[in-house]
Structures are given as structure tokens and as C-alpha cells.
């Protein structure tokens, strides 16, 4: 009996390298525990290089957590990345795998709609509800990026440098993609062309996607991409997915908002001891490095906001 052909298939995509695999394991554990069993989840792990040992452990995790309603497949996009003309702009902890998401619609033409998820998340809701969102005629469905609304310097940056209203700037870490329309409108080609013409330093691939998908976004509840940042306007009863980003990572810091969810699922994975070691070895020097990186990010946002040749100023000349 092939359960994957009897149930509606939901294609889920993650992108990782060796460093982020332990956190991907937590994301998968949480997602599968809370997912409706009425669907079959085809999980694709996009990478350029991933340890065989890590692949084997993730396979075991998925088989144990969802023996009858999920599968996992590893897909190398190394060749795709290497043959792409231009340079993938990176900073801080980013790896080039973050750009894998732009290739998904073309590399997987069998899907008209796909869901991309970052690795640094914990899912507390039923992911099928998110996938079943009606995209209508939009390119993507996504939640607004809390950081842009919480820090004026970044809100000003997206408005002045990118020409996107801060309350309309979306987080590309959780992205429901209208793959059919994405292909028709050649978004991948436009992304690469834009990347070669303008260097977006602040949030990189997220910036490019916001520019390209402007006015073609279906906005999701913030509960589907809630950062571990205290937001007085958010009701925790709406929490469905936690995104541990910037310096709000429970594997680096204590007293992170919603950290209990992360550790609850981490304990159930093969990588729990590894994650504990990562936490224990995160020194004060590394925390200071994080602080300096954030200060540098603020500085870059201000510089790019005031750059007379930034994207928004250039297209409006």
C-alpha cells in the first residue's frame, strides 16, 4: 500500500548545511508531531553538501515520527548554485543555502504550490493549515517581518532603500510559494538579474524577494512566523510557529521567549546532546560578536537608507 498516493501530498522544503542540521531536526520533530495525518508530507532537504551521518539520522527521525504519513529526500543544489551567474551576497551566520529557495519552482516543476521553511523554527500548529491557504493570484503567502515593525531603523531602511512599506515587508523564512505563477513570471531569472545589479546587504535574499513580490503577497497571521521577540500586541493563543532568529536563539542564550517549546522537541531528537554542547560552548566572546554584528547591521541599514544610489532611489530617478 502506497500511502503517499492515497493522501493529498504536501511538499515541504528546507535548506541546510551541517551547522544547522541539529536545529532542522528539532523543526522536523515538532512539525510532524503536530501535523494532520490526513495528508502525506514529502519533505525535501536542499543542500550543497551534507554529512551522510546527518542524512541518516534525519531519515530515522522522520520514519519514527511519521512512519505512515511522511517521507524525506535530500537534494543537492550545488550545481544549480555554481552555474548561477553572479554572487550570492552573504554576511554573519548566513550560508549560501539560504538562496536555495529561489530555485524550488523550477527544479520541482511537478508542484504548483510549495512550502519553504527555515530550519531555526519550532512548529506548534498543524502545518497543513498553512499549506492549504488560498494564494489566489499572489506569488507568495507570508507573515509580516516583526523586526521591521519593531526597530525603526530597519523599517526606515525597507521604505527608503527598497520602496516597501514596513508593514508590508514579509519574512521569507516561512514562505508559501505559488510555484506555477512564479515560473510563469520568471521570478528566478528576475531574482538573479536584480542580485547582479544591486547588493542588498541587510536581509539579502529576503530583500530581493520583497522587491520582486511587492503587491503580490497574501499576508498570513503573525502566528505562523512569530519571532521570539516580546510583542505586546500578539496573543499567544494564536501561536503556531516560532522563528528563532537574530540573537533570540535558545541554543545560544538563556531566557529566550518560547524556549520551552524548542527544548521540549530537542529532547526527542538524536541531536539533543549536540545542541546542549553548542549551548555550553557559546562563550561571552561569541555573544559579544553577536552584539557587534547587530550593531553593524544597524549601521548598514542606515548607510543603505542614505545611499543616493540605493535601489529605490535608482528606480525612481
Amino acid at each position: 500500500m502506497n500511502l503517499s498516493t492515497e493522501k493529498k501530498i504536501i511538499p515541504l522544503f528546507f535548506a541546510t548545511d551541517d551547522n544547522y542540521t541539529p536545529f532542522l531536526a528539532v523543526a522536523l520533530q515538532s512539525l510532524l508531531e503536530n501535523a494532520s495525518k490526513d495528508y502525506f508530507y514529502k519533505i525535501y532537504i536542499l543542500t550543497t553538501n551534507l554529512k551522510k551521518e546527518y542524512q541518516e539520522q534525519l531519515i530515522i527521525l522522520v520514519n519514527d515520527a511519521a512512519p505512515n504519513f511522511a517521507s524525506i529526500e535530500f537534494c543537492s543544489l550545488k550545481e544549480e548554485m555554481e552555474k548561477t551567474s553572479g554572487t550570492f551576497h552573504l554576511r554573519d551566520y548566513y550560508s549560501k543555502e539560504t538562496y536555495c529557495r529561489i530555485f524550488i519552482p523550477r527544479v520541482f516543476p511537478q508542484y504548483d504550490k510549495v512550502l519553504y521553511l527555515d530550519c531555526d523554527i519550532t512548529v506548534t500548529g498543524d502545518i497543513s493549515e498553512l499549506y492549504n491557504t488560498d494564494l489566489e493570484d499572489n506569488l507568495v503567502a507570508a507573515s509580516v517581518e516583526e523586526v521591521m515593525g519593531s526597530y525603526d531603523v530597519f523599517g526606515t531602511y525597507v521604505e527608503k532603500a527598497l520602496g516597501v512599506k514596513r508593514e508590508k515587508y514579509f519574512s521569507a523564512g516561512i514562505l508559501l510559494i505559488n510555484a506555477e505563477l512564479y515560473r510563469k513570471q520568471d521570478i528566478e531569472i528576475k531574482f538573479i538579474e536584480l542580485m547582479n545589479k544591486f547588493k542588498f546587504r541587510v536581509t539579502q535574499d529576503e530583500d530581493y524577494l520583497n522587491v520582486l513580490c511587492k503587491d503580490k503577497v497574501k499576508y498570513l497571521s503573525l502566528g505562523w512566523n512569530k519571532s521570539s521577540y516580546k510583542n505586546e500586541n500578539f496573543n499567544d493563543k494564536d501561536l503556531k510557529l516560532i522563528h528563532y532568529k537574530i540573537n533570540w536563539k535558545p541554543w545560544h542564550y538563556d531566557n529566550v521567549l518560547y524556549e520551552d517549546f524548542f527544548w521540549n522537541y530537542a529532547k526527542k531528537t538524536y541531536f539533543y546532546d549536540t545542541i546542549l554542547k553548542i549551548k555550553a560552548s557559546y562563550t561571552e566572546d561569541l555573544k559579544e560578536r553577536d552584539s557587534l554584528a547587530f550593531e553593524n547591521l544597524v549601521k548598514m541599514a542606515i548607510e543603505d537608507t542614505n545611499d543616493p544610489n540605493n535601489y529605490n532611489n535608482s528606480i525612481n530617478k
Side-chain angles (χ1 to χ4, degrees), residues 32-33 35 73 100 171-172 248 255:
L32 293 171
E33 279 197 31
E73 183 177 333
C100 283
S171 168
W248 308 314
N255 303 315

Side-chain angles (χ1 to χ4, degrees), residues 25-269:
V26 179
L28 289 172
Q29 183 70 37
S30 64
L31 183 153
L32 293 171
E33 279 197 31
N34 293 295
S36 168
K37 297 176 178 58
D38 293 335
Y39 300 89
F40 190 89
Y41 304 89
K42 295 200 75 168
I43 300 166
Y44 296 91
I45 309 300
L46 310 178
T47 186
T48 55
N49 188 30
L50 192 62
K51 287 180 184 176
K52 196 69 176 176
E53 174 196 351
Y54 285 177
Q55 294 185 33
E56 291 169 353
Q57 289 301 328
L58 291 176
I59 290 170
I60 292 171
L61 184 156
V62 171
N63 288 341
D64 287 347
N68 299 313
F69 61 94
S71 63
I72 185 168
E73 183 177 333
F74 299 89
C75 307
S76 173
L77 291 188
K78 186 175 182 180
E79 288 187 16
E80 294 292 334
M81 303 285 278
E82 289 178 348
K83 73 183 181 184
T84 298
S85 61
T87 302
F88 294 109
H89 310 304
L90 299 171
R91 64 163 175 79
D92 304 335
Y93 54 84
Y94 282 80
S95 70
K96 59 181 175 293
E97 276 77 12
T98 192
Y99 286 91
C100 283
R101 74 195 80 180
I102 70 168
F103 301 108
I104 295 171
R106 177 174 57 81
V107 177
F108 298 88
Q110 66 269 40
Y111 299 123
D112 289 337
K113 181 167 72 169
V114 298
L115 182 57
Y116 170 84
L117 304 161
D118 273 352
C119 296
D120 50 354
I121 64 171
T122 297
V123 184
T124 61
D126 175 4
I127 205 69
S128 71
E129 293 178 8
L130 173 55
Y131 181 80
N132 286 326
T133 299
D134 184 359
L135 278 161
E136 301 167 0
D137 59 350
N138 293 295
L139 278 165
V140 298
S143 301
V144 295
E145 173 56 80
E146 271 188 293
V147 173
M148 303 314 174
S150 305
Y151 292 87
D152 184 65
V153 64
F154 297 123
T156 301
Y157 160 75
V158 299
E159 291 178 346
K160 301 296 185 182
L162 305 179
V164 179
K165 292 181 179 178
R166 66 185 71 193
E167 65 271 17
K168 295 291 186 180
Y169 185 97
F170 63 84
S171 168
I174 308 299
L175 208 58
L176 184 62
I177 304 171
N178 186 339
E180 181 181 22
L181 187 60
Y182 189 103
R183 289 187 290 266
K184 285 180 181 177
Q185 296 195 4
D186 295 323
I187 299 301
E188 178 188 327
I189 294 172
K190 292 175 181 175
F191 186 106
I192 294 167
E193 289 176 347
L194 186 60
M195 182 176 65
N196 288 336
K197 192 171 183 180
F198 294 96
K199 182 178 181 180
F200 294 160
R201 301 186 297 167
V202 179
T203 42
Q204 299 165 17
D205 55 316
E206 189 168 82
D207 282 346
Y208 292 108
L209 287 169
N210 267 274
V211 167
L212 292 169
C213 298
K214 183 181 177 182
D215 300 325
K216 300 173 186 175
V217 182
K218 176 74 172 282
Y219 290 93
L220 301 169
S221 158
L222 182 59
W224 279 116
N225 195 345
K226 179 70 184 77
S227 66
S228 41
Y229 170 84
K230 184 63 176 176
N231 184 336
E232 299 295 341
N233 297 318
F234 181 77
N235 191 324
D236 283 350
K237 71 178 179 58
D238 298 324
L239 187 66
K240 295 182 179 180
L241 188 153
I242 306 152
H243 196 169
Y244 302 103
K245 49 194 172 186
I246 311 182
N247 297 346
W248 308 314
K249 298 178 172 69
W251 54 89
H252 287 166
Y253 293 91
D254 292 323
N255 303 315
V256 171
L257 188 63
Y258 308 128
E259 65 181 2
D260 289 349
F261 290 102
F262 175 83
W263 291 113
N264 175 53
Y265 293 108
K267 289 174 183 176
K268 300 177 182 180
T269 73

